[in-house]
Amino acid sequence: MELKAYLAILWRQRWLVLFVPAVALLAIIVQAIRYQPRYTASAAVIVTRLPQETPADQYRYDEYYLYLTNEYTVDDFTEVVRGNVFASDVAQRATAALGTPITPGEVQGSFSVTRRNRAVLLSVSAPDAQRAVAIAQAAVAALRERGTQYFGFNDPARQVIVQVIDDPQSAVPDTTRTRLLWAIQLVLAFVIGVFLAFLADSLSDALHDPEDVRRALDLPVVTVIPAPPERRGRAS
């Protein structure tokens, strides 16, 4: 089938092609009206272990093992941030700062944590910007004040330095993903409309052009008698 034939089918079934995207667009408009964006606050801290004092007569390996220890400590901190003990501390601090109750479960559900070299990257998502910033700031404060106490290390010689390199001062609405989903819905609706148009045309017994007649009767078309202008207008 030639491209012109496909285009002719789409033109004949144009209302079906447009109807499905129109319904999807209406649904997207309703979603946009009712949509409540979530706000994300980000923070980053550098975690460094304090070097142990080494006697002058011992070789220090150029702090190589200290670097490895820092790497392992950062790995452990990413698990600490995901735990409910850390979430309870953050919830208490955020509740005190914000003045409204925040539960440990909400804190755990709002956190996303990754690591990059010796940095711990925190991302906090909440229904409003103030809440996201309060939780993120409480998390940074808990890490700075307690550090490796979450590991049970209370010995000052085993403490870490937690240095803030990205202080959470504001939160931004996270709308990119939602807009992408709306765009996907609209494209998918258009594809479904095109599919239904071809399906409806294939199920129809009507003959629209000489090629349809030739395929249906398996006979050559000798001539074509044009329809009167008024008939052509109604057919279009």
Side-chain angles (χ1 to χ4, degrees):
M1 186 179 293
E2 297 181 357
L3 178 60
K4 291 175 60 176
Y6 290 119
L7 295 177
I9 293 174
L10 294 177
W11 178 252
R12 287 196 299 268
Q13 305 293 339
R14 58 189 178 277
W15 298 116
L16 185 59
V17 174
L18 297 175
F19 175 75
V20 179
V23 172
L25 182 60
L26 180 61
I28 290 172
I29 293 174
V30 173
Q31 294 177 48
I33 294 174
R34 302 176 59 183
Y35 176 64
Q36 296 294 331
R38 293 186 66 84
Y39 293 83
T40 301
S42 301
V45 297
I46 289 286
V47 179
T48 307
R49 290 292 300 268
L50 292 172
Q52 295 181 349
E53 294 186 5
T54 305
D57 59 345
Q58 293 185 13
Y59 185 64
R60 294 188 58 182
Y61 293 96
D62 295 328
E63 298 187 346
Y64 171 71
Y65 289 116
L66 177 62
Y67 179 81
L68 290 182
T69 304
N70 290 333
E71 293 285 321
Y72 296 145
T73 302
V74 172
D75 284 338
D76 293 338
F77 265 110
T78 59
E79 296 304 318
V80 165
V81 172
R82 295 188 181 102
N84 57 3
V85 175
F86 180 77
S88 297
D89 288 347
V90 173
Q92 292 178 5
R93 294 170 184 267
T95 297
L98 199 60
T100 58
I102 296 177
T103 65
E106 179 184 351
V107 171
Q108 282 188 293
S110 66
F111 261 114
S112 173
V113 57
T114 57
R115 60 154 295 180
R116 184 182 301 153
N117 299 327
R118 288 178 299 157
V120 178
L121 309 180
L122 303 174
S123 179
V124 178
S125 178
D128 62 81
Q130 189 178 9
R131 204 174 188 86
V133 171
I135 295 174
Q137 291 179 342
V140 169
L143 287 176
R144 293 189 66 180
E145 293 179 18
R146 297 201 60 184
T148 48
Q149 292 181 19
Y150 289 109
F151 308 147
F153 297 161
N154 295 316
D155 184 359
R158 306 188 70 180
Q159 295 300 307
V160 297
I161 300 174
V162 178
Q163 182 66 39
V164 181
I165 60 175
D166 187 6
D167 191 26
Q169 297 294 334
S170 61
V172 295
D174 184 13
T175 59
T176 303
R177 180 180 178 184
T178 303
R179 291 178 179 177
L180 179 61
L181 289 176
W182 290 343
I184 292 175
Q185 291 176 25
L186 195 58
V187 171
L188 185 60
F190 178 76
V191 173
I192 292 174
V194 171
F195 170 77
L196 292 178
F198 282 106
L199 179 63
D201 195 81
S202 66
L203 296 177
S204 175
D205 294 331
L207 302 177
H208 301 282
D209 52 41
E211 183 63 23
D212 289 345
V213 175
R214 187 190 65 77
R215 285 197 302 266
L217 302 178
D218 195 21
L219 293 173
V221 177
V222 177
T223 186
V224 176
I225 302 175
E230 62 274 9
R231 291 281 302 277
R232 289 200 297 268
R234 287 197 298 268
S236 63

